[in-house]
Amino acid sequence: MTNIQLIDRLRSQRTLDMDEWVRLIGTCTPEDRIYAADAARAIALERFGNRIYFRGIVEFSNYCKNDCLYCGIRRSSADAQRYRLTRDDILLCCREGYGLGFRTFVLQSGEDPWYTDARMADIISAIHAEFPDCAITLSIGEKSRESYQAFFDAGANRFLLRHETADCAHYAKLHPACQTLENRLRCLRDLKEIGYQTGCGFMVGSPFQTVQCLAEDMRFIADFRPHMIGIGPFIPHHATPFRDFPAGSAELTLFLLSLCRIMLPDVLLPATTALGTLRGDGRQKGVLAGANVIMPNLSPKAVREKYMLYDNKAISGEDAAESLNILKAHMREIGYEIVVGRGDYREETVS
Protein backbone atom coordinates (compact mmCIF):
# COMPACT_ATOMS: atom_id res chain seq x y z
CA MET A 1 0.00 0.00 0.00
CA THR A 2 1.41 3.40 -0.96
CA ASN A 3 1.43 6.44 1.30
CA ILE A 4 -1.27 8.03 -0.87
CA GLN A 5 -3.42 4.96 -0.28
CA LEU A 6 -2.74 5.21 3.47
CA ILE A 7 -3.91 8.82 3.44
CA ASP A 8 -7.09 7.76 1.63
CA ARG A 9 -7.57 4.98 4.16
CA LEU A 10 -7.18 7.47 7.01
CA ARG A 11 -9.89 9.62 5.44
CA SER A 12 -12.34 6.72 5.26
CA GLN A 13 -11.50 4.90 8.51
CA ARG A 14 -10.38 7.85 10.72
CA THR A 15 -7.39 5.90 12.04
CA LEU A 16 -4.47 3.70 11.03
CA ASP A 17 -2.64 0.78 12.57
CA MET A 18 0.56 1.57 14.44
CA ASP A 19 2.84 0.21 11.75
CA GLU A 20 0.93 2.21 9.13
CA TRP A 21 1.39 5.42 11.12
CA VAL A 22 5.12 4.71 11.41
CA ARG A 23 5.41 4.11 7.70
CA LEU A 24 3.36 7.14 6.66
CA ILE A 25 5.20 9.56 8.95
CA GLY A 26 8.64 8.06 8.45
CA THR A 27 8.62 7.82 4.67
CA CYS A 28 6.48 10.77 3.56
CA THR A 29 7.62 12.53 0.41
CA PRO A 30 6.93 16.07 -0.85
CA GLU A 31 4.24 14.55 -3.07
CA ASP A 32 2.62 12.89 -0.05
CA ARG A 33 2.60 16.19 1.83
CA ILE A 34 0.99 18.00 -1.10
CA TYR A 35 -1.65 15.30 -1.45
CA ALA A 36 -2.43 15.38 2.28
CA ALA A 37 -2.62 19.19 2.32
CA ASP A 38 -4.99 19.24 -0.65
CA ALA A 39 -7.23 16.63 0.98
CA ALA A 40 -7.17 18.41 4.36
CA ARG A 41 -7.91 21.79 2.82
CA ALA A 42 -10.86 20.35 0.90
CA ILE A 43 -12.25 18.85 4.12
CA ALA A 44 -11.82 22.13 6.02
CA LEU A 45 -13.54 24.08 3.23
CA GLU A 46 -16.39 21.57 3.24
CA ARG A 47 -16.84 21.86 7.01
CA PHE A 48 -16.09 25.54 7.62
CA GLY A 49 -16.00 27.28 4.27
CA ASN A 50 -13.18 29.79 3.91
CA ARG A 51 -13.72 31.04 7.47
CA ILE A 52 -10.86 31.26 9.95
CA TYR A 53 -11.69 31.70 13.64
CA PHE A 54 -9.48 33.91 15.74
CA ARG A 55 -8.90 33.69 19.51
CA GLY A 56 -7.27 36.30 21.72
CA ILE A 57 -4.55 34.95 23.99
CA VAL A 58 -3.94 36.63 27.34
CA GLU A 59 -0.67 35.33 28.81
CA PHE A 60 -1.37 36.38 32.38
CA SER A 61 1.57 34.84 34.30
CA ASN A 62 4.97 33.40 33.48
CA TYR A 63 5.57 31.95 36.93
CA CYS A 64 5.57 28.15 36.86
CA LYS A 65 6.03 25.49 39.52
CA ASN A 66 7.17 22.95 36.90
CA ASP A 67 10.63 22.45 35.49
CA CYS A 68 9.99 21.05 32.00
CA LEU A 69 13.36 20.76 30.29
CA TYR A 70 12.25 22.48 27.06
CA CYS A 71 10.43 25.52 28.45
CA GLY A 72 11.79 29.04 28.74
CA ILE A 73 9.65 29.85 31.81
CA ARG A 74 10.58 26.67 33.72
CA ARG A 75 10.84 27.04 37.48
CA SER A 76 14.63 26.94 37.66
CA SER A 77 15.21 29.51 34.90
CA ALA A 78 17.12 32.50 36.22
CA ASP A 79 16.71 34.09 32.79
CA ALA A 80 12.94 34.63 32.99
CA GLN A 81 11.63 38.05 34.01
CA ARG A 82 8.61 37.06 36.06
CA TYR A 83 5.25 38.86 36.05
CA ARG A 84 1.60 38.36 36.98
CA LEU A 85 -1.45 40.19 35.66
CA THR A 86 -4.21 41.21 38.02
CA ARG A 87 -7.89 40.49 37.55
CA ASP A 88 -8.36 44.08 36.32
CA ASP A 89 -5.42 43.73 33.92
CA ILE A 90 -6.96 40.62 32.41
CA LEU A 91 -10.40 42.23 32.09
CA LEU A 92 -8.84 45.21 30.33
CA CYS A 93 -7.22 42.86 27.80
CA CYS A 94 -10.60 41.26 27.18
CA ARG A 95 -12.30 44.64 26.75
CA GLU A 96 -9.74 45.68 24.18
CA GLY A 97 -10.08 42.33 22.45
CA TYR A 98 -13.87 42.51 22.40
CA GLY A 99 -13.65 45.89 20.69
CA LEU A 100 -11.42 44.33 18.05
CA GLY A 101 -13.97 41.60 17.40
CA PHE A 102 -12.65 38.72 19.50
CA ARG A 103 -15.33 36.39 20.85
CA THR A 104 -13.01 33.81 22.43
CA PHE A 105 -10.47 34.65 25.11
CA VAL A 106 -7.67 32.20 25.88
CA LEU A 107 -6.22 32.59 29.38
CA GLN A 108 -2.75 31.07 29.31
CA SER A 109 -0.07 30.88 31.99
CA GLY A 110 2.56 28.77 33.62
CA GLU A 111 1.32 26.57 36.44
CA ASP A 112 1.30 29.39 38.98
CA PRO A 113 -0.04 28.43 42.44
CA TRP A 114 -0.59 32.12 43.30
CA TYR A 115 -3.75 31.87 41.20
CA THR A 116 -5.74 29.73 43.59
CA ASP A 117 -8.97 28.08 42.52
CA ALA A 118 -10.89 30.94 44.13
CA ARG A 119 -8.87 33.59 42.30
CA MET A 120 -9.17 31.82 38.96
CA ALA A 121 -12.91 31.25 39.41
CA ASP A 122 -13.33 34.94 40.25
CA ILE A 123 -11.46 35.98 37.09
CA ILE A 124 -13.47 33.56 34.93
CA SER A 125 -16.77 34.68 36.48
CA ALA A 126 -15.93 38.33 35.86
CA ILE A 127 -15.12 37.70 32.20
CA HIS A 128 -18.26 35.59 31.76
CA ALA A 129 -20.44 38.26 33.38
CA GLU A 130 -19.08 41.10 31.25
CA PHE A 131 -18.87 39.14 27.99
CA PRO A 132 -21.64 36.50 28.11
CA ASP A 133 -21.49 36.00 24.35
CA CYS A 134 -17.81 34.99 24.46
CA ALA A 135 -16.12 31.66 25.02
CA ILE A 136 -13.45 31.33 27.70
CA THR A 137 -10.59 28.94 27.04
CA LEU A 138 -8.08 28.01 29.73
CA SER A 139 -4.52 26.83 29.18
CA ILE A 140 -3.15 26.64 32.72
CA GLY A 141 -1.88 23.10 33.04
CA GLU A 142 -2.51 20.16 35.32
CA LYS A 143 -5.09 20.57 38.08
CA SER A 144 -7.34 18.37 40.15
CA ARG A 145 -10.73 17.32 38.81
CA GLU A 146 -12.31 19.48 41.49
CA SER A 147 -10.40 22.53 40.24
CA TYR A 148 -11.42 21.89 36.65
CA GLN A 149 -15.04 21.54 37.76
CA ALA A 150 -14.89 24.84 39.67
CA PHE A 151 -13.54 26.67 36.62
CA PHE A 152 -16.21 25.09 34.40
CA ASP A 153 -18.94 26.10 36.84
CA ALA A 154 -17.55 29.65 36.84
CA GLY A 155 -18.01 29.90 33.07
CA ALA A 156 -14.98 28.39 31.33
CA ASN A 157 -15.91 26.50 28.15
CA ARG A 158 -12.69 25.08 26.73
CA PHE A 159 -9.36 23.80 27.97
CA LEU A 160 -6.10 23.35 26.08
CA LEU A 161 -3.66 20.86 27.60
CA ARG A 162 -1.05 19.47 25.25
CA HIS A 163 -0.20 15.91 26.13
CA GLU A 164 3.29 16.72 24.71
CA THR A 165 4.03 13.09 23.86
CA ALA A 166 2.03 9.88 24.23
CA ASP A 167 5.17 7.80 24.73
CA CYS A 168 5.97 7.27 28.45
CA ALA A 169 9.72 6.91 27.95
CA HIS A 170 9.85 10.02 25.80
CA TYR A 171 7.75 11.97 28.31
CA ALA A 172 10.27 11.10 31.03
CA LYS A 173 13.08 12.56 28.92
CA LEU A 174 11.29 15.90 28.60
CA HIS A 175 10.17 16.34 32.22
CA PRO A 176 11.45 15.81 35.77
CA ALA A 177 10.36 12.60 37.51
CA CYS A 178 7.58 14.33 39.47
CA GLN A 179 5.67 14.92 36.24
CA THR A 180 4.10 11.88 34.62
CA LEU A 181 2.26 11.12 31.44
CA GLU A 182 -0.26 9.18 33.51
CA ASN A 183 -1.35 12.32 35.34
CA ARG A 184 -1.38 14.34 32.13
CA LEU A 185 -3.77 11.88 30.53
CA ARG A 186 -5.88 11.77 33.71
CA CYS A 187 -6.30 15.54 33.39
CA LEU A 188 -7.42 15.25 29.77
CA ARG A 189 -9.96 12.56 30.63
CA ASP A 190 -11.34 14.64 33.51
CA LEU A 191 -11.68 17.72 31.30
CA LYS A 192 -13.59 15.87 28.62
CA GLU A 193 -15.87 14.13 31.14
CA ILE A 194 -16.71 17.44 32.84
CA GLY A 195 -17.86 18.86 29.53
CA TYR A 196 -15.07 21.12 28.32
CA GLN A 197 -14.29 21.38 24.65
CA THR A 198 -10.91 19.74 25.21
CA GLY A 199 -7.67 20.19 23.31
CA CYS A 200 -4.51 18.11 23.35
CA GLY A 201 -1.39 18.24 21.18
CA PHE A 202 2.35 17.81 20.92
CA MET A 203 5.63 19.30 19.74
CA VAL A 204 7.12 18.16 16.46
CA GLY A 205 10.86 17.51 16.60
CA SER A 206 11.23 17.65 20.38
CA PRO A 207 14.47 16.18 21.73
CA PHE A 208 14.67 12.36 21.60
CA GLN A 209 11.47 12.15 19.56
CA THR A 210 11.30 9.26 17.10
CA VAL A 211 8.89 8.37 14.32
CA GLN A 212 7.49 5.78 16.74
CA CYS A 213 6.77 8.59 19.23
CA LEU A 214 4.88 10.56 16.59
CA ALA A 215 2.94 7.46 15.62
CA GLU A 216 1.94 7.04 19.29
CA ASP A 217 0.78 10.67 19.32
CA MET A 218 -1.42 10.19 16.27
CA ARG A 219 -2.85 6.95 17.63
CA PHE A 220 -3.63 8.65 20.94
CA ILE A 221 -5.41 11.52 19.18
CA ALA A 222 -7.40 9.06 17.07
CA ASP A 223 -8.57 7.29 20.22
CA PHE A 224 -9.13 10.36 22.42
CA ARG A 225 -10.95 12.37 19.73
CA PRO A 226 -10.25 15.87 21.08
CA HIS A 227 -12.23 18.91 20.05
CA MET A 228 -9.01 20.89 19.47
CA ILE A 229 -5.45 19.91 18.56
CA GLY A 230 -2.40 22.10 19.12
CA ILE A 231 0.62 21.03 17.08
CA GLY A 232 3.72 23.15 16.67
CA PRO A 233 7.41 22.64 15.99
CA PHE A 234 9.85 22.41 18.86
CA ILE A 235 11.95 25.58 19.06
CA PRO A 236 14.82 25.62 21.58
CA HIS A 237 15.23 28.24 24.31
CA HIS A 238 18.74 29.39 25.15
CA ALA A 239 18.24 29.08 28.93
CA THR A 240 17.09 25.45 28.99
CA PRO A 241 18.94 22.11 28.98
CA PHE A 242 17.74 21.62 25.38
CA ARG A 243 19.33 24.84 24.10
CA ASP A 244 21.56 23.03 21.62
CA PHE A 245 18.93 20.77 20.07
CA PRO A 246 17.74 21.65 16.57
CA ALA A 247 14.29 23.06 15.93
CA GLY A 248 11.58 20.82 14.58
CA SER A 249 10.58 20.69 10.94
CA ALA A 250 7.94 23.08 9.64
CA GLU A 251 7.25 20.71 6.74
CA LEU A 252 6.61 17.74 9.03
CA THR A 253 4.46 19.91 11.28
CA LEU A 254 2.31 20.91 8.30
CA PHE A 255 2.01 17.28 7.20
CA LEU A 256 0.83 16.22 10.65
CA LEU A 257 -1.66 19.10 10.73
CA SER A 258 -3.09 17.81 7.46
CA LEU A 259 -3.32 14.26 8.81
CA CYS A 260 -5.16 15.53 11.90
CA ARG A 261 -7.72 17.34 9.72
CA ILE A 262 -8.18 14.23 7.57
CA MET A 263 -8.56 12.04 10.66
CA LEU A 264 -10.90 14.39 12.58
CA PRO A 265 -12.72 16.56 10.02
CA ASP A 266 -14.50 18.79 12.56
CA VAL A 267 -11.59 19.44 14.90
CA LEU A 268 -10.58 23.01 15.75
CA LEU A 269 -7.02 23.17 14.47
CA PRO A 270 -4.80 26.22 15.08
CA ALA A 271 -1.96 27.40 12.91
CA THR A 272 0.28 28.04 15.90
CA THR A 273 2.56 30.91 16.86
CA ALA A 274 5.51 28.50 16.88
CA LEU A 275 4.84 27.60 13.25
CA GLY A 276 4.66 31.30 12.40
CA THR A 277 7.90 31.88 14.30
CA LEU A 278 9.78 29.12 12.47
CA ARG A 279 8.79 30.41 9.04
CA GLY A 280 7.33 33.76 8.14
CA ASP A 281 4.46 32.31 6.13
CA GLY A 282 3.76 29.57 8.66
CA ARG A 283 0.27 30.81 9.48
CA GLN A 284 -0.78 30.89 5.84
CA LYS A 285 0.80 27.51 5.16
CA GLY A 286 -0.98 26.10 8.22
CA VAL A 287 -4.36 27.24 6.91
CA LEU A 288 -3.58 25.79 3.49
CA ALA A 289 -2.72 22.51 5.24
CA GLY A 290 -6.13 22.33 6.95
CA ALA A 291 -5.94 24.64 9.99
CA ASN A 292 -8.94 26.85 10.78
CA VAL A 293 -7.94 28.76 13.93
CA ILE A 294 -5.42 31.56 14.57
CA MET A 295 -4.63 32.96 18.02
CA PRO A 296 -3.20 36.51 18.09
CA ASN A 297 -1.82 37.96 21.30
CA LEU A 298 -3.97 40.20 23.51
CA SER A 299 -1.43 40.43 26.34
CA PRO A 300 -0.15 43.88 27.32
CA LYS A 301 2.81 44.81 25.15
CA ALA A 302 4.97 45.32 28.23
CA VAL A 303 4.84 41.63 29.16
CA ARG A 304 4.75 39.87 25.79
CA GLU A 305 8.51 39.54 25.51
CA LYS A 306 8.59 38.02 29.02
CA TYR A 307 6.38 35.06 28.05
CA MET A 308 9.11 33.35 26.06
CA LEU A 309 8.57 29.61 25.98
CA TYR A 310 11.15 29.40 23.18
CA ASP A 311 13.60 31.75 21.49
CA ASN A 312 12.51 34.38 18.95
CA LYS A 313 8.81 33.93 19.65
CA ALA A 314 6.73 36.12 17.35
CA ILE A 315 5.07 38.89 19.37
CA SER A 316 4.35 41.44 16.65
CA GLY A 317 2.97 41.56 13.14
CA GLU A 318 0.13 39.13 12.52
CA ASP A 319 0.72 37.54 15.94
CA ALA A 320 -0.36 40.74 17.70
CA ALA A 321 -4.05 41.47 18.19
CA GLU A 322 -3.63 45.16 17.34
CA SER A 323 -2.32 44.12 13.92
CA LEU A 324 -5.47 42.30 12.87
CA ASN A 325 -5.53 44.15 9.57
CA ILE A 326 -2.19 42.53 8.69
CA LEU A 327 -3.53 39.12 9.62
CA LYS A 328 -6.73 39.68 7.65
CA ALA A 329 -4.77 40.79 4.60
CA HIS A 330 -2.55 37.70 4.78
CA MET A 331 -5.61 35.46 4.97
CA ARG A 332 -7.29 37.24 2.06
CA GLU A 333 -4.17 36.67 -0.03
CA ILE A 334 -4.80 32.92 0.19
CA GLY A 335 -8.57 33.13 -0.19
CA TYR A 336 -9.71 33.07 3.45
CA GLU A 337 -11.56 35.44 5.75
CA ILE A 338 -11.22 36.07 9.49
CA VAL A 339 -14.71 35.81 11.02
CA VAL A 340 -16.18 37.21 14.21
CA GLY A 341 -17.70 34.48 16.34
CA ARG A 342 -16.97 31.98 19.09
CA GLY A 343 -16.26 29.18 16.63
CA ASP A 344 -17.40 26.35 18.89
CA TYR A 345 -16.73 22.73 18.06
CA ARG A 346 -19.62 21.20 16.17
CA GLU A 347 -19.51 17.73 14.75
CA GLU A 348 -21.15 17.35 11.37
CA THR A 349 -22.82 14.22 10.10
CA VAL A 350 -21.51 14.41 6.55
CA SER A 351 -18.68 12.02 5.67
Side-chain angles (χ1 to χ4, degrees):
M1 186 177 292
T2 67
N3 284 347
I4 298 297
Q5 289 172 321
L6 287 176
I7 294 169
D8 289 340
R9 181 174 176 181
L10 178 64
R11 184 167 189 172
S12 63
Q13 298 188 2
R14 304 290 188 245
T15 191
L16 294 174
D17 296 333
M18 190 64 182
D19 60 334
E20 293 173 330
W21 279 122
V22 169
R23 175 182 170 182
L24 180 58
I25 296 169
T27 66
C28 68
T29 66
E31 291 73 24
D32 297 332
R33 291 195 289 270
I34 292 170
Y35 185 84
D38 288 346
R41 186 165 62 254
I43 291 169
L45 287 169
E46 177 189 3
R47 291 308 209 263
F48 306 102
N50 69 338
R51 296 169 296 173
I52 303 298
Y53 301 113
F54 63 116
R55 326 302 203 184
I57 298 180
V58 181
E59 297 162 337
F60 64 91
S61 171
N62 71 346
Y63 283 86
C64 192
K65 69 178 184 180
N66 293 331
D67 219 17
C68 305
L69 276 68
Y70 50 81
C71 184
I73 63 169
R74 62 197 302 262
R75 184 187 69 236
S76 64
S77 175
D79 190 70
Q81 301 176 53
R82 305 294 180 178
Y83 73 91
R84 293 185 177 107
L85 298 186
T86 66
R87 175 182 181 273
D88 289 344
D89 292 334
I90 295 169
L91 281 170
L92 181 58
C93 293
C94 294
R95 290 183 192 121
E96 292 176 349
Y98 193 88
L100 291 169
F102 288 86
R103 295 299 179 266
T104 292
F105 304 121
V106 182
L107 304 187
Q108 185 173 34
S109 72
E111 293 194 23
D112 184 355
W114 187 87
Y115 294 90
T116 62
D117 287 1
R119 281 176 173 149
M120 279 307 306
D122 179 57
I123 291 167
I124 295 163
S125 295
I127 296 171
H128 182 63
E130 187 166 345
F131 308 102
D133 56 331
C134 294
I136 302 171
T137 302
L138 303 180
S139 181
I140 56 176
E142 298 179 8
K143 306 288 182 181
S144 69
R145 186 184 181 105
E146 291 73 23
S147 297
Y148 290 145
Q149 186 68 59
F151 304 153
F152 187 80
D153 293 342
N157 315 96
R158 308 174 185 148
F159 205 107
L160 301 172
L161 182 65
R162 287 188 177 186
H163 64 278
E164 302 298 3
T165 174
D167 181 283
C168 288
H170 186 216
Y171 196 93
K173 292 179 179 179
L174 303 179
H175 304 88
C178 59
Q179 294 173 245
T180 66
L181 179 59
E182 179 183 14
N183 190 58
R184 198 77 162 185
L185 299 185
R186 185 274 305 168
C187 291
L188 284 167
R189 290 192 298 270
D190 285 350
L191 289 163
K192 205 172 185 188
E193 289 170 4
I194 288 169
Y196 284 94
Q197 292 180 39
T198 305
C200 63
F202 57 91
M203 294 179 290
V204 178
S206 59
F208 313 111
Q209 187 180 71
T210 64
V211 172
Q212 186 83 14
C213 293
L214 289 171
E216 290 279 8
D217 288 320
M218 297 303 288
R219 186 168 68 169
F220 167 73
I221 289 172
D223 292 340
F224 184 67
R225 299 185 64 82
H227 307 102
M228 301 171 280
I229 304 172
I231 298 177
F234 165 75
I235 302 175
H237 188 284
H238 66 275
T240 70
F242 292 159
R243 63 179 69 86
D244 296 325
F245 281 81
S249 163
E251 287 70 28
L252 182 55
T253 301
L254 292 167
F255 183 55
L256 293 169
L257 282 172
S258 295
L259 296 183
C260 286
R261 171 63 66 205
I262 293 166
M263 179 170 60
L264 296 174
D266 301 294
V267 77
L268 297 167
L269 192 63
T272 62
T273 300
L275 184 57
T277 298
L278 199 60
R279 56 181 294 171
D281 61 350
R283 287 282 175 76
Q284 296 98 311
K285 292 294 186 184
V287 169
L288 293 173
N292 69 324
V293 173
I294 291 178
M295 299 194 288
N297 201 323
L298 279 174
S299 305
K301 294 179 184 179
V303 304
R304 286 181 198 170
E305 63 183 17
K306 298 178 183 179
Y307 200 86
M308 285 292 170
L309 307 184
Y310 47 83
D311 283 345
N312 304 311
K313 178 184 172 187
I315 57 173
S316 60
E318 67 179 41
D319 292 281
E322 65 273 9
S323 300
L324 275 178
N325 287 336
I326 297 174
L327 177 58
K328 290 177 180 178
H330 287 167
M331 290 298 106
R332 282 195 295 269
E333 287 173 4
I334 59 172
Y336 287 79
E337 294 292 335
I338 298 290
V339 295
V340 172
R342 288 167 49 120
D344 287 301
Y345 176 86
R346 289 187 176 88
E347 190 163 4
E348 301 291 342
T349 56
V350 291
S351 60

